[in-house]
Amino acid sequence: MLAQQLDKSDTTSSIPTSQSKTSRSEVSLRKAASMWHNLHRRMDPGQAIISLLTELAQTESLILIIEDLQWIDQASQNVLLELTKRVTTIPLLLLNTMRPGDKIPTWYTRSGGELHTLAGLTHAGVAGLAATQVQMQPSPDLVEWLFTRTQGNPLFVAQLLHTLEDSGNLIKDPATEQTMLKHTQITLPPTVREIMLSRIDQLPEETRTLCKLAAVIGETVPFNLLARVSALSRPALMSHIAVLARRALWTPAPPAFEYTFAHPLLREAIYSSLSYSQRRAWHRAIADCLADEEANDIKTAYTSMEMLAHHYTRSDAPVLGARYSRLAGDRACTQQAWDEALSYYQQALSIEGPDAALRDEQYRTYEALGDFFVLQGQYSNAVNAYQHVEHIPDANIKLALSGLQLCQDNDKNITGLEALWGTIPANARLRPWIAVARGWLAHQASTTDEAHHWWRQGLAIAETGIVREMLQALLSSDIPTQYTDLLHALVNS
């Protein structure tokens, strides 16, 4: 369905016919742009989602629910922003939830969306939640006790009930078919974070350690990864997971391929309670296990880059952190997740250390960052990135090509070319190419002396190679046709 939807857009691009006055070179450029545009649409997951929802909305009304908006990533936010522009033209209802107190995105308020603050549960709501959780109607005293301490916050109600159950402070009375408090005077932790941690503290020691290790792995805990990092036997691991599931700390009940914490805040509370050294040691162990998996299984070699980057950058291995951050950025580029790619590249460059291997990794990152900016059409930023790695032959070629494309973007903006000439280092290999382009603009304006002035400046600093040969030819009385065509295409197309 996605392919059919995107195929429709391929037929809408307009290409000049042979009868048009447009030159062949301009037609080729427009064809290339059109083909790239269609390829971009096919590869962009966000655009595919938007196209799919738009098509489905032609036949039926849709409701799209996005929970926990405060944790939304940039790519998903871009999709939602585009959808908010379409809700007035298609039968689509967007329903988003977010944590109270977090900043509401400005794009959401500008889109005309309505904001509704959800009040806490009433006494009846607290009673209903308690009845569902403990599988028996709560007594009026228990409902009042819970309401007074939680003000109807569902998360607090659920966590308090779990704490009461774990500590043996709930009694189920078969005679009245009600659940009651064992003691009316109970000392409980003052915050929900401490309530959650108190439940972890009541676990057996080995189960508690396993739960803390899992919090370092992440929100989702793959069973096979947990088994390898913990070095526990399968029966022992299953026994610990059964305890966590029985106490409503993990879901689902075993067996399963992966498990999740009952609530994101639970995992956050456990993780933040660990010492810095313990977190670093476990992040390293987890990353090493993932790296072994990657080496032994070609299927995971490109899909676990984000996890490897996450764990190595939080461990004691800066070189590996930089390497996998760069590779994660490369992977994000292939998925056109541009914001994520830029974030990973910046993460790789932010890692500090005296290691020569780290510098080599960061050189590779600068080259990858230059490639990223070229894909974005940001040639000035690409030039800045490539200049960090001029000593690498491939990067030097990219530097020259990006500079030429930048000159093409400036077109006849002579001020822009001269500003570029004045800002880049005097020894930058891009300078002769700027002289070529700037002189050619003067040549087209029939100011031959000015053109020769620029070309002589370029020749004075050009090394051997095509740029020097070109400058020598340009300064001759008869400019070769191949250079004329090349420069016309670069500067005037």
Side-chain angles (χ1 to χ4, degrees):
M1 180 180 293
L2 286 175
Q4 293 173 354
Q5 177 67 28
L6 295 175
D7 280 338
K8 294 177 183 178
S9 65
D10 293 354
T11 62
T12 61
S13 57
S14 119
I15 303 294
T17 63
S18 58
Q19 289 76 25
S20 168
K21 295 182 180 179
T22 308
S23 69
R24 288 184 180 180
S25 62
E26 290 176 321
V27 171
S28 298
L29 286 170
R30 292 186 187 180
K31 282 184 178 180
S34 175
M35 286 187 291
W36 168 248
H37 175 71
N38 291 327
L39 181 61
H40 187 283
R41 287 174 59 84
R42 286 180 179 275
M43 292 177 62
D44 186 353
Q47 184 60 51
I49 293 171
I50 293 169
S51 299
L52 174 61
L53 291 174
T54 302
E55 180 174 309
L56 290 175
Q58 304 305 315
T59 58
E60 57 185 337
S61 299
L62 300 178
I63 299 177
L64 181 62
I65 302 174
I66 308 293
E67 295 188 318
D68 294 322
L69 199 63
Q70 70 274 2
W71 288 314
I72 191 171
D73 60 87
Q74 187 61 50
S76 301
Q77 183 168 288
N78 292 340
V79 172
L80 281 181
L81 175 59
E82 182 61 30
L83 288 175
T84 59
K85 299 175 183 177
R86 303 192 181 202
V87 292
T88 57
T89 59
I90 60 176
L92 172 65
L93 172 64
L94 287 175
L95 181 60
N96 305 307
T97 67
M98 68 181 299
R99 198 165 49 189
D102 284 281
K103 184 179 179 181
I104 299 170
T106 54
W107 61 265
Y108 190 80
T109 54
R110 286 199 304 265
S111 68
E114 297 181 8
L115 300 176
H116 298 274
T117 301
L118 299 179
L121 298 175
T122 62
H123 281 75
V126 171
L129 177 57
T132 300
Q133 186 162 320
V134 301
Q135 299 297 301
M136 184 177 285
Q137 284 296 324
S139 68
D141 289 344
L142 175 56
V143 172
E144 183 61 34
W145 189 90
L146 290 169
F147 185 84
T148 300
R149 284 156 179 78
T150 65
Q151 295 301 303
N153 184 303
L155 174 62
F156 290 11
V157 172
Q159 292 302 316
L160 272 179
L161 282 169
H162 284 309
T163 301
L164 293 172
E165 287 183 294
D166 294 345
S167 60
N169 277 302
L170 286 183
I171 300 175
K172 293 185 178 180
D173 185 358
T176 61
E177 295 185 344
Q178 288 185 340
T179 300
M180 299 176 291
L181 282 172
K182 184 176 182 180
H183 304 290
T184 56
Q185 298 298 322
I186 301 174
T187 301
L188 289 173
T191 67
V192 68
R193 176 182 179 277
E194 291 173 341
I195 290 172
M196 291 176 173
L197 291 178
S198 71
R199 297 185 59 209
I200 302 301
D201 291 339
Q202 294 172 18
L203 293 169
E205 183 177 355
E206 287 191 358
T207 307
R208 183 168 64 248
T209 301
L210 182 73
C211 190
K212 291 179 178 179
L213 172 60
V216 178
I217 291 177
E219 185 74 28
T220 300
V221 185
F223 178 84
N224 288 338
L225 178 59
L226 183 61
R228 292 189 63 191
V229 180
S230 67
L232 291 173
S233 66
R234 183 182 179 87
L237 184 57
M238 294 290 282
S239 174
H240 292 304
I241 294 175
V243 172
L244 294 168
R246 190 164 56 248
R247 299 203 181 186
L249 294 168
W250 282 21
T251 186
F257 290 110
E258 62 182 26
Y259 299 89
T260 59
F261 285 85
H263 196 280
L265 291 179
L266 174 61
R267 184 248 164 193
E268 288 181 18
I270 299 171
Y271 184 84
S272 63
S273 71
L274 300 175
S275 67
Y276 177 69
S277 59
Q278 180 65 83
R279 289 201 301 265
R280 280 167 62 87
W282 275 343
H283 276 301
R284 178 63 187 267
I286 293 164
D288 287 345
C289 281
L290 287 169
D292 287 342
E293 267 186 26
E294 177 202 25
N296 296 326
D297 186 357
I298 191 66
K299 294 179 181 179
T300 66
Y302 202 50
T303 57
S304 61
M305 295 303 172
E306 295 88 345
M307 292 180 66
L308 284 162
H310 172 82
H311 290 293
Y312 273 131
T313 54
R314 289 160 176 80
S315 73
D316 57 355
V319 175
L320 293 173
R323 178 180 305 164
Y324 284 106
S325 293
R326 170 176 58 83
L327 293 174
D330 293 345
R331 172 173 159 77
C333 278
T334 66
Q335 299 175 328
Q336 297 198 8
W338 306 120
D339 293 304
E340 284 79 0
L342 181 58
S343 177
Y344 279 120
Y345 291 143
Q346 291 173 337
Q347 176 175 282
L349 294 174
S350 69
I351 298 174
E352 298 179 351
D355 197 330
L358 177 59
R359 289 196 298 276
D360 289 341
E361 285 297 336
Q362 292 182 331
Y363 286 146
R364 292 187 178 92
T365 302
Y366 273 119
E367 184 176 2
L369 186 61
D371 297 345
F372 165 85
F373 284 127
V374 167
L375 291 172
Q376 296 291 294
Q378 300 178 27
Y379 298 105
S380 179
N381 289 335
V383 167
N384 290 336
Y386 288 140
Q387 283 178 346
H388 285 86
V389 286
E390 282 190 63
H391 60 286
I392 299 177
D394 287 346
N396 185 254
I397 294 172
K398 293 174 183 178
L399 173 61
L401 293 175
S402 299
L404 287 172
Q405 185 62 53
L406 183 59
C407 295
Q408 175 182 332
D409 282 356
N410 277 282
D411 197 12
K412 293 185 180 297
N413 187 347
I414 293 174
T415 303
L417 279 174
E418 292 179 354
L420 181 64
W421 175 269
T423 56
I424 65 174
N427 62 347
R429 291 183 174 90
L430 178 61
R431 289 177 71 84
W433 291 97
I434 298 175
V436 169
R438 177 63 184 85
W440 184 251
L441 291 177
H443 176 79
Q444 286 187 310
S446 299
T447 53
T448 305
D449 289 343
E450 185 180 5
H452 282 213
H453 166 74
W454 280 101
W455 291 339
R456 281 193 295 269
Q457 286 197 79
L459 185 61
I461 58 176
E463 298 178 355
T464 58
I466 183 173
V467 65
R468 185 174 183 83
E469 295 174 7
M470 182 182 291
L471 285 162
Q472 290 171 336
L474 291 171
L475 287 166
S476 68
S477 57
D478 185 19
I479 300 176
T481 303
Q482 66 266 31
Y483 289 140
T484 304
D485 292 342
L486 172 61
L487 288 164
H488 181 80
L490 288 172
V491 178
N492 291 322
S493 63

